[in-house]
Amino acid sequence: MPELPEVETMVRGLRPVVEGRKIEKFLRCRCRCKPISASPTFPTISKKVRGCKITAVRRIAKRVVLDLDNDHSMVIEPRMTGLMLLTDPPDTEHLRFEWKLAGRGATKSFWFWDRRGLGTLSLLSSAEIQTKLGPAKLGPDALLMTVNEWGKMCEKTSRPIKVAMMVQKFVAGIGNLYASEILHRAKIHPETPAKSLKKKHTAKLQKFTLEILTEAIRYEGSTLGDGTYRNALNEAGGYQNAHRVYARAGKVCTSCQQTEILRIVQCQRSTFYCPACQPPV
DNA sequence: ATTAATGTTCAGAA
DNA sequence: TTTCTGAACATTAA
């Protein structure tokens, strides 16, 4: 589920409550679902983080990173349905992990909740973060990517631009939903080979990626029809009301007010676009 | 019963 | 060798 804006919202929600406090205990919640994959194993992680202070909460691409005072970080990848919660969860049967915090008087907990259970947890040293989540594995963060970097990325692949935008090694943070939204705002057809895009196109990609993701963060992300995505206080996001194309197949385009939004499939994922506003190149 | 769902990874094909 | 596609992961809801 979560793409960059949703993960950024989780991080911003967690940060003021969690930063500077100590992990009294890190627990696996009892639920009968298959356990979340963890590396190293959960017991090892649990032992190593007990008593550590959380020095910072940050985002790397679509991951939540909890920096500890022992030169390691807990990295949570929410994938499709994972949530970081400071309050009561949508249901208790998909709670996965609980962090019990000490300090500042009362004990406080926060949780990882994941319905489908595709999320992951890992404990990485700062060196491992460099190798596993560094420039060798991830492209520039979508919010920081320059026009020049967009140009370089598009030069080196002939894949359709929508597909290329979702390759985290090219640009980190964009997923299926925001890729469609960005291309619509940039008026670029999703099947255009990245290689054939000119400077004026890559300039638009930079501009509207920044604009849309920033706006989505301001709205605290997108909560789709199934209602899964929630911020740290279990509240729905608001950006879904601003979507121009995502999940709007068959509806009239809000830009041209004439043409119906189409749905196509690229790499097993739905793409939505307006054939009038985004004509083939 | 079938299908699709905001993500990533891996095997095998091109 | 590199690049790319489809299946798999686990669960739910329409």
Side-chain angles (χ1 to χ4, degrees), chain A residues 1-280:
Chain A
M1 164 206 297
E3 301 181 30
L4 185 152
E6 290 77 26
V7 178
E8 181 63 28
T9 302
M10 294 177 190
V11 164
R12 291 184 187 189
L14 240 42
R15 186 176 286 142
V17 177
V18 163
E19 265 184 13
R21 296 180 88 160
K22 242 182 207 177
I23 301 174
E24 194 174 290
K25 270 183 183 173
F26 178 57
L27 305 163
R28 185 149 49 187
C29 303
R30 28 180 164 54
C31 72
R32 32 179 139 213
C33 318
K34 282 213 164 168
I36 295 290
S37 94
S39 83
T41 64
F42 172 81
T44 307
I45 294 179
S46 179
K47 204 172 296 175
K48 284 192 174 167
V49 305
R50 180 166 309 173
C52 290
K53 187 199 267 189
I54 299 174
T55 56
V57 182
R58 61 188 169 122
R59 176 182 62 77
I60 296 182
K62 300 177 190 171
R63 296 160 180 84
V64 175
V65 178
L66 309 175
D67 290 326
L68 307 180
D69 60 359
N70 66 351
D71 195 45
H72 281 67
S73 303
M74 302 184 83
V75 178
I76 299 100
E77 227 186 309
R79 300 251 177 127
M80 294 293 261
T81 51
L83 301 177
M84 299 299 296
L85 294 164
L86 287 165
T87 54
D88 296 329
D91 65 55
T92 49
E93 85 210 53
H94 298 101
L95 277 177
R96 309 293 182 150
F97 300 120
E98 176 178 5
W99 286 259
K100 280 195 167 167
L101 300 174
R104 285 185 221 163
T107 299
K108 167 78 191 164
S109 284
F110 68 101
W111 293 268
F112 179 62
W113 179 95
D114 190 352
R115 193 178 45 180
R116 284 170 72 177
L118 298 175
T120 65
L121 167 75
S122 47
L123 183 67
L124 301 179
S125 68
S126 51
E128 286 172 320
I129 288 199
Q130 277 312 303
T131 56
K132 295 186 179 177
L133 302 178
K137 294 287 174 74
L138 294 172
D141 189 86
L143 289 177
L144 306 174
M145 185 135 151
T146 63
V147 178
N148 226 353
E149 287 170 325
W150 275 104
K152 274 189 277 172
M153 157 187 158
C154 289
E155 266 172 29
K156 69 185 176 198
T157 180
S158 54
R159 301 179 84 172
I161 182 59
K162 152 67 162 50
V163 175
M165 288 168 79
M166 293 177 59
V167 176
Q168 301 300 298
K169 208 173 172 168
F170 292 162
V171 47
I174 299 174
N176 200 43
L177 190 166
Y178 292 102
S180 283
E181 291 296 325
I182 292 164
L183 288 173
H184 179 258
R185 199 84 69 97
K187 299 191 190 303
I188 296 171
H189 193 287
E191 290 177 302
T192 313
K195 221 177 250 183
S196 65
L197 294 173
K198 308 289 187 242
K199 179 73 180 282
K200 65 174 178 184
H201 299 119
T202 55
K204 282 185 184 179
L205 285 174
Q206 188 278 331
K207 179 180 175 195
F208 291 114
T209 295
L210 181 60
E211 199 171 297
I212 287 188
L213 296 182
T214 305
E215 205 178 327
I217 291 170
R218 185 145 36 84
Y219 282 84
E220 306 212 322
S222 301
T223 298
L224 299 184
D226 70 356
T228 302
Y229 171 69
R230 304 272 147 172
N231 69 12
L233 300 178
N234 192 18
E235 299 162 332
Y239 194 68
Q240 63 282 359
N241 300 317
H243 292 174
R244 316 271 178 110
V245 288
Y246 188 81
R248 297 193 71 252
K251 297 184 178 170
V252 173
C253 173
T254 53
S255 293
C256 65
Q257 310 209 326
Q258 288 184 353
T259 311
E260 283 187 5
I261 303 299
L262 297 183
R263 171 187 181 268
I264 59 173
V265 174
Q266 296 177 288
C267 280
Q268 311 166 281
R269 312 298 301 275
S270 294
T271 301
F272 300 89
Y273 72 104
C274 170
C277 297
Q278 301 163 261

